[in-house]
Amino acid sequence: MNRLRLLAVGTVLMFALSAAAQQTTTSPDAHAAAVAPVEQHLKMLSEKLSLTADQQDKARPILQEMHNGSQKIADDQSLTPDQREAAMGPVFMKADKAVREFLTDDQKKKLDDLEAQMHSGSHDNPHGTTAAPQQN
């Protein structure tokens, strides 16, 4: 189950990163470019989980740390794709665990459902694009 959660969280992050990557190519401000995927991810989670303002404030630095860590791994050209995937696992799991600490039971269930939906390759994903099924 942890592997499924990892893949789902990774998929959610990758959608956020891919959407941000399209925006960052035209943005000269590196700080704004780094913040954009975090804010998009936070917005999506806020909408899907009905996060309170306090929960959003707690989630923002967790998502920023996850983004920074995954971006560093993605940029490391010395790693093979399999090594990158393996290295991102702990980054995603740490963020997932940290966010769950302040979610209500209902929000945790919604997050489980969202992660399962993302893992299944459902067409109804948070960014309105078609998700490709995960390969194991």
Side-chain angles (χ1 to χ4, degrees):
M1 184 62 173
N2 283 340
R3 181 174 168 88
L4 292 176
R5 180 175 289 149
L6 167 65
L7 291 173
V9 171
T11 302
V12 171
L13 176 64
M14 289 303 116
F15 279 112
L17 290 175
S18 65
Q22 293 172 356
Q23 293 177 353
T24 60
T25 58
T26 60
S27 175
D29 184 1
H31 177 70
V35 172
V38 173
E39 290 303 318
Q40 289 174 346
H41 196 168
L42 181 60
K43 181 180 177 188
M44 182 273 299
L45 287 176
S46 296
E47 291 171 358
K48 296 289 185 182
L49 305 179
S50 303
L51 297 180
T52 66
D54 184 53
Q55 288 174 319
Q56 290 175 39
D57 290 343
K58 290 177 181 176
R60 186 173 284 107
I62 295 167
L63 295 176
Q64 184 66 57
E65 182 179 342
M66 182 178 71
H67 170 73
N68 292 347
S70 62
Q71 190 65 53
K72 182 177 179 180
I73 294 166
D75 291 343
D76 187 346
Q77 296 302 309
S78 70
L79 300 175
T80 66
D82 287 342
Q83 289 171 325
R84 280 190 194 105
E85 182 179 340
M88 285 193 188
V91 173
F92 297 147
M93 292 305 292
K94 180 180 176 184
D96 185 70
K97 183 178 178 182
V99 167
R100 286 175 182 277
E101 288 182 12
F102 55 80
L103 295 180
T104 66
D105 288 341
D106 185 51
Q107 289 171 323
K108 289 175 188 174
K109 168 118 177 54
K110 288 178 184 178
L111 182 57
D112 288 339
D113 293 345
L114 178 63
E115 290 172 348
Q117 179 184 11
M118 293 304 297
H119 177 69
S120 71
S122 172
H123 295 283
D124 182 25
N125 70 59
H127 296 286
T129 58
T130 302
Q134 291 292 320
Q135 305 243 343
N136 291 336

XYZ file of all heavy atoms in Angstrom, residues 36-121:
674
model
N 5.549 28.904 -7.910
C 4.346 28.593 -8.679
C 3.862 27.157 -8.508
O 2.683 26.950 -8.228
C 4.548 28.934 -10.153
N 4.713 26.121 -8.646
C 4.187 24.766 -8.508
C 3.717 24.461 -7.089
O 2.766 23.705 -6.901
C 5.347 23.863 -8.906
C 6.560 24.704 -8.825
C 6.114 26.114 -9.045
N 4.366 25.047 -6.111
C 3.948 24.840 -4.724
C 2.562 25.433 -4.509
O 1.680 24.797 -3.927
C 4.978 25.449 -3.744
C 4.469 25.395 -2.315
C 6.318 24.742 -3.882
N 2.356 26.643 -4.989
C 1.050 27.289 -4.825
C -0.033 26.552 -5.618
O -1.161 26.431 -5.152
C 1.120 28.763 -5.227
C 1.928 29.611 -4.259
C 1.423 29.554 -2.815
O 0.196 29.600 -2.582
O 2.275 29.454 -1.912
N 0.313 26.056 -6.802
C -0.653 25.281 -7.583
C -1.010 23.988 -6.866
O -2.188 23.612 -6.807
C -0.097 24.960 -8.969
C -0.008 26.160 -9.872
C 0.688 25.829 -11.191
O 1.327 24.798 -11.335
N 0.549 26.720 -12.146
N -0.013 23.313 -6.328
C -0.249 22.072 -5.599
C -1.095 22.354 -4.359
O -2.047 21.616 -4.063
C 1.089 21.449 -5.224
C 1.022 20.022 -4.808
N 2.129 19.250 -4.665
C -0.011 19.201 -4.508
C 1.785 18.030 -4.283
N 0.490 17.987 -4.179
N -0.767 23.419 -3.644
C -1.527 23.788 -2.454
C -2.966 24.124 -2.819
O -3.902 23.722 -2.125
C -0.861 24.969 -1.750
C -1.543 25.455 -0.473
C -1.612 24.340 0.574
C -0.803 26.656 0.079
N -3.158 24.844 -3.907
C -4.512 25.193 -4.344
C -5.320 23.941 -4.657
O -6.481 23.814 -4.249
C -4.446 26.101 -5.569
C -5.824 26.525 -6.072
C -5.716 27.427 -7.284
C -7.113 27.769 -7.784
N -7.085 28.481 -9.045
N -4.699 22.996 -5.369
C -5.382 21.764 -5.714
C -5.751 20.989 -4.449
O -6.884 20.539 -4.300
C -4.494 20.915 -6.632
C -5.124 19.609 -7.100
S -4.921 18.176 -6.013
C -3.160 18.011 -5.964
N -4.800 20.853 -3.525
C -5.095 20.143 -2.283
C -6.165 20.862 -1.472
O -7.038 20.231 -0.882
C -3.825 19.984 -1.442
C -2.805 18.972 -1.938
C -1.565 18.997 -1.047
C -3.383 17.576 -1.999
N -6.101 22.186 -1.446
C -7.087 22.967 -0.705
C -8.491 22.740 -1.244
O -9.446 22.578 -0.482
C -6.752 24.456 -0.765
O -5.531 24.706 -0.116
N -8.600 22.718 -2.562
C -9.905 22.504 -3.184
C -10.412 21.088 -2.957
O -11.573 20.888 -2.613
C -9.829 22.788 -4.686
C -9.633 24.255 -5.005
C -9.344 24.507 -6.480
O -9.259 23.542 -7.273
O -9.175 25.686 -6.843
N -9.542 20.109 -3.134
C -9.948 18.706 -3.027
C -10.200 18.273 -1.586
O -11.063 17.439 -1.328
C -8.885 17.781 -3.646
C -8.688 17.983 -5.124
C -9.869 17.484 -5.910
C -9.603 17.582 -7.401
N -10.735 17.144 -8.197
N -9.436 18.836 -0.635
C -9.533 18.402 0.755
C -10.249 19.409 1.648
O -10.407 19.165 2.835
C -8.134 18.142 1.322
C -7.244 17.166 0.557
C -5.892 17.035 1.238
C -7.915 15.819 0.400
N -10.645 20.549 1.098
C -11.278 21.619 1.883
C -10.389 22.031 3.058
O -10.820 22.059 4.211
C -12.656 21.176 2.377
O -13.480 20.810 1.305
N -9.142 22.363 2.747
C -8.210 22.760 3.794
C -8.597 24.116 4.382
O -9.017 25.013 3.657
C -6.783 22.858 3.241
C -6.139 21.581 2.711
C -4.722 21.881 2.202
C -6.107 20.488 3.763
N -8.403 24.256 5.673
C -8.607 25.546 6.331
C -7.393 26.427 6.046
O -6.349 25.946 5.590
C -8.750 25.368 7.848
O -7.503 24.886 8.368
C -9.893 24.421 8.210
N -7.495 27.702 6.357
C -6.370 28.620 6.172
C -5.173 28.170 7.014
O -4.024 28.223 6.560
C -6.773 30.047 6.535
N -5.431 27.706 8.233
C -4.360 27.231 9.103
C -3.682 26.000 8.497
O -2.453 25.889 8.510
C -4.920 26.905 10.485
C -3.838 26.485 11.470
O -2.851 27.242 11.620
O -3.979 25.400 12.071
N -4.469 25.086 7.958
C -3.903 23.894 7.330
C -3.082 24.268 6.089
O -2.031 23.678 5.843
C -5.006 22.910 6.945
C -5.644 22.223 8.132
C -6.830 21.377 7.735
O -7.644 21.784 6.901
N -6.939 20.198 8.321
N -3.551 25.245 5.336
C -2.800 25.698 4.165
C -1.446 26.269 4.590
O -0.429 26.001 3.949
C -3.599 26.743 3.394
C -4.816 26.182 2.688
C -5.642 27.265 2.029
O -5.108 28.211 1.475
N -6.962 27.116 2.087
N -1.449 27.046 5.666
C -0.197 27.622 6.175
C 0.774 26.537 6.619
O 1.990 26.673 6.456
C -0.472 28.579 7.333
C -1.161 29.863 6.893
O -1.137 30.175 5.683
O -1.733 30.550 7.770
N 0.249 25.442 7.182
C 1.095 24.334 7.612
C 1.585 23.524 6.410
O 2.710 23.014 6.420
C 0.330 23.423 8.564
C 0.060 24.048 9.919
C -0.762 23.127 10.786
C -1.065 23.769 12.140
N -1.940 22.909 12.962
N 0.756 23.397 5.386
C 1.096 22.574 4.221
C 2.119 23.257 3.312
O 2.952 22.576 2.701
C -0.160 22.239 3.424
N 2.055 24.576 3.210
C 2.918 25.311 2.269
C 4.406 24.970 2.430
O 5.065 24.616 1.445
C 2.665 26.807 2.381
C 3.409 27.633 1.335
C 3.008 29.097 1.377
N 1.690 29.291 0.767
C 0.571 29.560 1.432
N 0.581 29.705 2.746
N -0.581 29.713 0.802
N 5.001 25.061 3.637
C 6.434 24.746 3.737
C 6.733 23.267 3.467
O 7.804 22.933 2.964
C 6.805 25.141 5.170
C 5.530 25.265 5.904
C 4.463 25.568 4.902
N 5.797 22.395 3.754
C 5.982 20.966 3.479
C 6.028 20.748 1.971
O 6.902 20.036 1.459
C 4.844 20.140 4.120
C 4.904 20.243 5.648
C 4.903 18.683 3.651
C 3.668 19.729 6.351
N 5.107 21.369 1.255
C 5.080 21.243 -0.200
C 6.306 21.900 -0.828
O 6.850 21.393 -1.816
C 3.799 21.853 -0.768
C 2.490 21.155 -0.369
C 1.292 21.914 -0.921
C 2.482 19.706 -0.815
N 6.758 23.015 -0.244
C 7.956 23.682 -0.762
C 9.176 22.779 -0.601
O 9.989 22.640 -1.523
C 8.188 25.020 -0.049
C 9.360 25.812 -0.618
C 9.104 26.276 -2.043
O 8.131 26.962 -2.299
N 9.961 25.896 -2.968
N 9.301 22.158 0.560
C 10.427 21.248 0.802
C 10.356 20.049 -0.159
O 11.372 19.624 -0.708
C 10.409 20.765 2.248
C 11.564 19.850 2.589
C 11.548 19.398 4.046
O 10.886 20.019 4.883
O 12.222 18.388 4.321
N 9.154 19.522 -0.377
C 8.985 18.407 -1.301
C 9.365 18.824 -2.718
O 10.077 18.113 -3.426
C 7.535 17.904 -1.280
C 7.306 16.713 -2.187
S 5.612 16.071 -2.120
C 4.717 17.368 -2.958
N 8.927 20.006 -3.116
C 9.263 20.505 -4.454
C 10.770 20.689 -4.605
O 11.359 20.259 -5.598
C 8.540 21.828 -4.727
C 9.016 22.501 -5.977
N 8.698 22.046 -7.222
C 9.820 23.580 -6.160
C 9.288 22.814 -8.135
N 9.969 23.753 -7.511
N 11.390 21.321 -3.626
C 12.833 21.564 -3.696
C 13.610 20.245 -3.774
O 14.532 20.106 -4.579
C 13.312 22.376 -2.493
C 12.782 23.790 -2.495
O 12.256 24.281 -3.486
N 12.890 24.451 -1.355
N 13.226 19.301 -2.936
C 13.906 18.011 -2.927
C 13.718 17.240 -4.219
O 14.674 16.680 -4.775
N 12.501 17.224 -4.727
C 12.245 16.478 -5.962
C 12.882 17.168 -7.164
O 13.371 16.508 -8.080
C 10.746 16.277 -6.187
O 10.095 17.511 -6.341
N 12.931 18.496 -7.143
C 13.567 19.221 -8.239
C 15.070 18.956 -8.256
O 15.665 18.766 -9.320
C 13.305 20.725 -8.116
C 13.722 21.508 -9.339
C 12.885 21.143 -10.563
O 11.671 21.181 -10.512
N 13.533 20.778 -11.639
N 15.672 18.914 -7.087
C 17.108 18.622 -6.992
C 17.397 17.232 -7.553
O 18.359 17.039 -8.307
C 17.558 18.716 -5.532
C 19.030 18.487 -5.335
C 19.414 18.659 -3.872
C 20.897 18.395 -3.681
N 21.302 18.549 -2.286
N 16.565 16.265 -7.214
C 16.738 14.901 -7.717
C 16.514 14.862 -9.225
O 17.283 14.251 -9.964
C 15.788 13.926 -6.995
C 16.188 13.817 -5.522
C 15.782 12.559 -7.683
C 15.143 13.160 -4.641
N 15.475 15.528 -9.701
C 15.166 15.539 -11.130
C 16.289 16.180 -11.939
O 16.547 15.776 -13.077
C 13.850 16.279 -11.378
N 16.955 17.160 -11.356
C 18.034 17.862 -12.053
C 19.366 17.117 -12.004
O 20.299 17.479 -12.721
C 18.238 19.261 -11.454
C 17.074 20.191 -11.757
O 16.275 19.886 -12.667
O 16.971 21.220 -11.069
N 19.465 16.081 -11.181
C 20.723 15.343 -11.020
C 20.912 14.395 -12.198
O 20.353 13.293 -12.228
C 20.708 14.572 -9.700
C 22.041 13.916 -9.390
O 22.908 13.817 -10.302
O 22.226 13.479 -8.241
N 21.714 14.830 -13.158
C 21.924 14.049 -14.381
C 22.805 12.821 -14.156
O 22.942 11.995 -15.057
C 22.532 14.941 -15.470
C 21.611 16.072 -15.906
C 20.271 15.560 -16.424
O 20.226 14.691 -17.277
N 19.182 16.098 -15.895
N 23.404 12.683 -12.983
C 24.224 11.508 -12.701
C 23.354 10.296 -12.347
O 23.861 9.172 -12.285
C 25.196 11.791 -11.561
O 24.516 11.924 -10.326
N 22.063 10.520 -12.113
C 21.159 9.431 -11.750
C 20.438 8.890 -12.977
O 20.082 9.644 -13.886
C 20.110 9.919 -10.740
C 20.616 10.450 -9.414
C 19.462 11.004 -8.593
C 21.344 9.359 -8.638
N 20.196 7.590 -12.966
C 19.378 6.989 -14.008
C 17.917 7.282 -13.677
O 17.593 7.642 -12.531
C 19.573 5.458 -14.065
O 19.059 4.887 -12.853
C 21.033 5.087 -14.260
N 17.001 7.118 -14.625
C 15.583 7.332 -14.308
C 15.101 6.458 -13.147
O 14.339 6.935 -12.298
C 14.875 6.966 -15.617
C 15.888 7.293 -16.678
C 17.215 6.914 -16.066
N 15.540 5.216 -13.082
C 15.138 4.353 -11.967
C 15.692 4.859 -10.643
O 15.007 4.809 -9.611
C 15.604 2.916 -12.208
C 14.786 2.209 -13.274
O 13.662 2.664 -13.597
O 15.273 1.177 -13.801
N 16.922 5.361 -10.665
C 17.514 5.910 -9.444
C 16.780 7.175 -9.003
O 16.583 7.400 -7.809
C 18.998 6.210 -9.654
C 19.865 4.977 -9.774
C 21.285 5.297 -10.194
O 21.530 6.215 -10.985
N 22.241 4.537 -9.673
N 16.376 7.990 -9.980
C 15.611 9.206 -9.645
C 14.294 8.829 -8.982
O 13.906 9.416 -7.978
C 15.340 10.029 -10.906
C 16.489 10.869 -11.337
C 16.071 11.837 -12.455
N 17.260 12.376 -13.070
C 17.725 12.021 -14.256
N 17.062 11.164 -14.998
N 18.830 12.535 -14.727
N 13.606 7.857 -9.586
C 12.321 7.425 -9.023
C 12.503 6.907 -7.606
O 11.735 7.255 -6.700
C 11.704 6.338 -9.905
C 10.343 5.874 -9.414
C 9.720 4.807 -10.288
O 10.123 4.668 -11.457
O 8.825 4.114 -9.796
N 13.530 6.099 -7.402
C 13.800 5.551 -6.072
C 14.158 6.658 -5.079
O 13.743 6.615 -3.919
C 14.923 4.519 -6.151
N 14.907 7.647 -5.517
C 15.320 8.734 -4.633
C 14.149 9.651 -4.281
O 14.135 10.252 -3.202
C 16.440 9.545 -5.284
N 13.183 9.770 -5.170
C 12.041 10.648 -4.904
C 11.061 10.025 -3.916
O 10.338 10.748 -3.232
C 11.338 11.009 -6.206
C 12.103 12.029 -7.003
S 11.100 12.708 -8.321
C 12.305 13.653 -9.212
N 11.063 8.715 -3.830
C 10.129 8.041 -2.929
C 10.144 8.592 -1.517
O 9.099 8.987 -0.987
N 11.303 8.630 -0.874
C 11.342 9.146 0.499
C 10.910 10.613 0.605
O 10.319 11.017 1.602
C 12.811 8.977 0.903
C 13.334 7.908 0.010
C 12.584 8.049 -1.274
N 11.192 11.405 -0.422
C 10.796 12.826 -0.416
C 9.272 12.923 -0.396
O 8.681 13.678 0.392
C 11.383 13.565 -1.642
C 10.851 14.986 -1.731
C 12.901 13.563 -1.587
N 8.621 12.148 -1.266
C 7.160 12.177 -1.342
C 6.524 11.609 -0.072
O 5.549 12.155 0.443
C 6.659 11.376 -2.542
C 7.100 11.931 -3.873
C 7.355 11.076 -4.932
C 7.258 13.288 -4.079
C 7.751 11.571 -6.164
C 7.661 13.792 -5.301
C 7.905 12.932 -6.347
N 7.095 10.521 0.431
C 6.524 9.886 1.625
C 6.652 10.790 2.851
O 5.745 10.854 3.671
C 7.190 8.532 1.883
C 6.859 7.487 0.826
S 5.084 7.207 0.575
C 4.664 6.448 2.126
N 7.764 11.495 2.957
C 7.965 12.410 4.084
C 6.905 13.518 4.044
O 6.305 13.852 5.070
C 9.366 13.013 4.023
C 9.669 13.980 5.145
C 11.072 14.545 5.021
C 11.343 15.592 6.097
N 12.652 16.223 5.932
N 6.664 14.068 2.864
C 5.667 15.131 2.727
C 4.271 14.595 3.009
O 3.478 15.238 3.711
C 5.729 15.732 1.319
N 3.959 13.417 2.485
C 2.639 12.826 2.708
C 2.399 12.616 4.197
O 1.345 12.976 4.725
C 2.542 11.497 1.943
C 1.162 10.887 2.015
O 0.236 11.459 1.401
O 1.000 9.844 2.676
N 3.390 12.075 4.885
C 3.267 11.829 6.328
C 3.094 13.142 7.093
O 2.260 13.239 7.995
C 4.501 11.081 6.828
C 4.427 10.719 8.285
C 5.653 9.943 8.736
C 5.561 9.640 10.212
N 6.758 8.935 10.690
N 3.872 14.152 6.731
C 3.805 15.439 7.434
C 2.455 16.116 7.242
O 1.889 16.683 8.184
C 4.928 16.357 6.962
N 1.915 16.066 6.028
C 0.615 16.688 5.758
C -0.489 15.964 6.518
O -1.391 16.588 7.085
C 0.329 16.731 4.242
C -1.129 17.076 3.968
C 1.245 17.731 3.554
N -0.429 14.653 6.558
C -1.472 13.868 7.231
C -1.545 14.154 8.730
O -2.584 13.919 9.348
C -1.243 12.378 6.999
C -1.605 11.958 5.599
C -1.257 10.496 5.328
N -1.582 10.157 3.964
C -2.793 9.804 3.543
N -3.788 9.715 4.405
N -3.022 9.535 2.283
N -0.474 14.676 9.313
C -0.461 14.945 10.752
C -1.510 15.976 11.165
O -1.970 15.962 12.299
C 0.926 15.391 11.205
C 1.934 14.268 11.211
C 3.296 14.700 11.700
O 3.430 15.819 12.249
O 4.245 13.913 11.538
N -1.881 16.881 10.269
C -2.843 17.917 10.654
C -4.164 17.829 9.876
O -4.985 18.734 9.955
C -2.231 19.324 10.535
C -1.659 19.642 9.172
C -2.481 20.035 8.133
C -0.294 19.548 8.950
C -1.951 20.336 6.889
C 0.243 19.845 7.721
C -0.591 20.244 6.683
N -4.372 16.738 9.157
C -5.639 16.553 8.458
C -6.653 15.879 9.370
O -6.289 15.102 10.257
C -5.448 15.680 7.209
C -4.583 16.228 6.087
C -4.507 15.214 4.944
C -5.077 17.571 5.586
N -7.913 16.166 9.137
C -8.979 15.456 9.834
C -9.105 14.061 9.224
O -8.571 13.790 8.141
C -10.324 16.186 9.685
O -10.721 16.145 8.303
C -10.243 17.630 10.171
N -9.831 13.185 9.895
C -10.030 11.833 9.363
C -10.718 11.879 8.000
O -10.363 11.118 7.097
C -10.851 10.980 10.336
C -10.053 10.606 11.583
O -8.803 10.680 11.543
O -10.681 10.223 12.596
N -11.684 12.771 7.846
C -12.389 12.909 6.569
C -11.427 13.384 5.471
O -11.465 12.885 4.345
C -13.558 13.894 6.713
C -14.394 13.987 5.454
O -14.809 12.930 4.933
O -14.623 15.123 4.986
N -10.560 14.328 5.791
C -9.583 14.821 4.813
C -8.570 13.739 4.449
O -8.162 13.641 3.288
C -8.866 16.063 5.359
C -9.750 17.291 5.414
C -9.100 18.432 6.162
O -8.392 18.216 7.162
N -9.335 19.649 5.705
N -8.183 12.920 5.421
C -7.268 11.814 5.131
C -7.919 10.839 4.153
O -7.260 10.342 3.231
C -6.873 11.087 6.414
C -5.952 11.888 7.304
C -5.698 11.157 8.611
C -4.928 12.044 9.576
N -4.776 11.423 10.895
N -9.202 10.564 4.351
C -9.920 9.664 3.443
C -9.970 10.272 2.044
O -9.752 9.579 1.041
C -11.333 9.406 3.957
C -12.251 8.736 2.951
C -12.728 7.409 3.404
C -13.700 6.750 2.456
N -13.283 6.596 1.096
N -10.245 11.577 1.968
C -10.267 12.252 0.664
C -8.896 12.191 -0.006
O -8.797 12.005 -1.223
C -10.715 13.711 0.819
C -12.181 13.881 1.127
C -12.528 15.350 1.304
C -13.975 15.550 1.707
N -14.282 16.980 1.913
N -7.831 12.358 0.784
C -6.482 12.285 0.231
C -6.189 10.872 -0.265
O -5.617 10.695 -1.338
C -5.447 12.724 1.268
C -3.994 12.744 0.804
C -3.807 13.647 -0.423
C -3.080 13.190 1.934
N -6.605 9.869 0.504
C -6.448 8.480 0.062
C -7.160 8.267 -1.271
O -6.612 7.646 -2.188
C -7.013 7.503 1.088
C -6.168 7.394 2.346
O -4.969 7.739 2.295
O -6.716 6.957 3.386
N -8.376 8.783 -1.373
C -9.154 8.647 -2.605
C -8.473 9.367 -3.769
O -8.409 8.845 -4.879
C -10.574 9.186 -2.421
C -11.408 8.358 -1.458
O -11.012 7.210 -1.138
O -12.463 8.860 -1.001
N -7.963 10.558 -3.515
C -7.270 11.330 -4.550
C -6.020 10.598 -5.027
O -5.764 10.498 -6.226
C -6.903 12.720 -4.008
C -6.128 13.636 -4.945
C -6.951 13.955 -6.189
C -5.758 14.922 -4.222
N -5.260 10.060 -4.079
C -4.051 9.331 -4.433
C -4.393 8.062 -5.216
O -3.714 7.724 -6.187
C -3.239 9.014 -3.180
C -2.613 10.253 -2.567
C -1.952 10.011 -1.220
O -2.146 8.929 -0.623
O -1.255 10.916 -0.750
N -5.451 7.369 -4.813
C -5.871 6.162 -5.534
C -6.327 6.523 -6.947
O -6.025 5.818 -7.909
C -7.000 5.467 -4.776
N -7.033 7.625 -7.051
C -7.512 8.102 -8.352
C -6.330 8.431 -9.256
O -6.316 8.057 -10.424
C -8.387 9.336 -8.137
C -8.920 9.953 -9.398
C -9.702 11.226 -9.109
O -9.668 11.754 -7.999
N -10.396 11.717 -10.089
N -5.328 9.112 -8.714
C -4.159 9.476 -9.504
C -3.379 8.228 -9.907
O -2.883 8.131 -11.021
C -3.251 10.428 -8.731
C -3.856 11.792 -8.478
S -4.399 12.648 -9.961
C -2.839 12.822 -10.813
N -3.283 7.272 -9.019
C -2.542 6.051 -9.325
C -3.249 5.225 -10.393
O -2.600 4.599 -11.227
C -2.335 5.199 -8.069
C -1.636 3.917 -8.364
N -0.316 3.867 -8.753
C -2.083 2.639 -8.370
C 0.015 2.613 -8.977
N -1.028 1.847 -8.753
N -4.563 5.237 -10.382
C -5.311 4.426 -11.347
C -5.275 5.027 -12.743
O -5.735 4.400 -13.687
C -6.756 4.263 -10.887
O -7.451 5.492 -11.008
N -4.760 6.239 -12.880
C -4.683 6.869 -14.195
C -6.025 7.424 -14.630
O -6.300 7.539 -15.816
